[in-house]
Amino acid sequence: MKTTIVTLCAVLGFSALSIAQSSTLNPVPNTIFVGADGKFETAPDTALIQFNISAQADSAKDAYDQAAQQAEATRQVLRANGIDPKSAEIGFFSVNPQYDWTKPKHKAIGYQVTTSVSLKLKDFSKIGPVTQQLADASVGESQSLSYTLDSTDEAKSKAVADAYRRARASAQSLATASGRTLGELSYATVDTFENIRVAGPHHAMARAIGAQTPAPTEEFSPQNVTVTAHVNAMFVLLK
């Protein structure tokens, strides 16, 4: 009796990585090899506020002192909103001399000190007050806000389950069409990805519109976080 080899590659927009994986897998007699995408959407549980502290002065010391004052103002804003300053992460301070390039000797005419700060918030009601008060204190001229999941394990598991369901459904369709019975899973690979939604930069918007005006994020719901998964699966074909 002639052996039948059936191989299926059901592609639903899978990534270059999965293509590379599937291309190195040799066809196996009496199996079906499928690939499918799945996803799971959920509300974010963490808001990430990022901004820079920047100061410029004639001397490096004065610029550093000004940056230190902005850092202290940041700590005061956090404490005023019931946030431990230790929960904010700060990068290293960078000191950059500013030169007068019109002069042959390129003399330093000033110094700029910058650092970055990132803050994770679980309580979304604090986003507006914190960004407003940072702007009022002339801290964080360029603010950005993004929403994410602090723990993605459950979401990834659900995305993988959705991808596997789709892959098995594709394999089942081909098995039925060929008059065969779909057997057990014999091989699989999984890739997962998280799509972080960015709300966009705030700049000094809160300060410009005034303290009585609602914050740009007030009364809006944060966009869902989408976790996607790609599953490559090989199933046994029964008689």
Side-chain angles (χ1 to χ4, degrees):
M1 179 179 297
K2 181 184 292 185
T3 301
T4 302
I5 302 177
V6 182
T7 304
L8 168 66
C9 186
V11 182
L12 299 177
F14 55 83
S15 66
L17 176 60
S18 61
I19 294 175
Q21 291 174 335
S22 63
S23 64
T24 59
L25 186 67
N26 295 323
V28 179
N30 296 307
T31 64
I32 294 179
F33 182 66
V34 297
D37 287 334
K39 69 177 182 178
F40 178 73
E41 291 187 0
T42 186
D45 61 11
T46 303
L48 176 63
I49 300 174
Q50 296 175 298
F51 58 93
N52 294 326
I53 289 176
S54 180
Q56 187 168 335
D58 293 339
S59 68
K61 181 181 182 305
D62 289 343
Y64 183 86
D65 289 343
Q66 291 180 24
Q69 292 174 4
Q70 291 187 37
E72 177 57 28
T74 300
R75 288 189 286 268
Q76 292 178 5
V77 168
L78 297 181
R79 293 191 186 101
N81 288 276
I83 303 170
D84 186 351
K86 292 181 180 180
S87 63
E89 297 180 355
I90 191 168
F92 63 89
F93 278 88
S94 173
V95 181
N96 299 307
Q98 308 297 306
Y99 295 100
D100 182 359
W101 295 101
T102 63
K103 301 295 179 63
K105 293 185 178 181
H106 305 314
K107 181 181 179 181
I109 58 174
Y111 294 85
Q112 184 181 46
V113 174
T114 58
T115 190
S116 59
V117 181
S118 61
L119 172 66
K120 291 183 178 180
L121 294 177
K122 295 291 187 179
D123 186 352
F124 291 177
S125 66
K126 294 183 178 181
I127 296 174
V130 167
T131 55
Q132 169 89 46
Q133 293 168 29
L134 287 173
D136 290 341
S138 297
V139 178
E141 290 290 335
S142 180
Q143 301 175 18
S144 66
L145 170 65
S146 60
Y147 294 101
T148 186
L149 287 175
D150 192 41
S151 177
T152 60
D153 291 343
E154 182 179 0
K156 287 180 179 180
S157 295
K158 291 182 177 180
V160 170
D162 183 47
Y164 176 76
R165 178 185 60 80
R166 295 172 183 268
R168 187 172 184 86
S170 296
Q172 182 64 64
S173 296
L174 183 57
T176 301
S178 63
R180 307 289 292 275
T181 300
L182 190 67
E184 65 182 8
L185 176 71
S186 64
Y187 170 86
T189 62
V190 176
D191 294 305
T192 58
F193 310 91
E194 178 185 352
N195 180 23
I196 299 178
R197 303 294 182 88
V198 180
H202 283 279
H203 301 294
M205 185 187 301
R207 178 177 52 188
I209 61 180
Q212 301 303 318
T213 305
T217 56
E218 191 168 328
E219 297 186 20
F220 290 106
S221 297
Q223 291 178 305
N224 284 343
V225 173
T226 301
V227 177
T228 61
H230 182 82
V231 169
N232 291 321
M234 179 182 289
F235 297 93
V236 176
L237 270 180
L238 305 177
K239 301 283 187 181

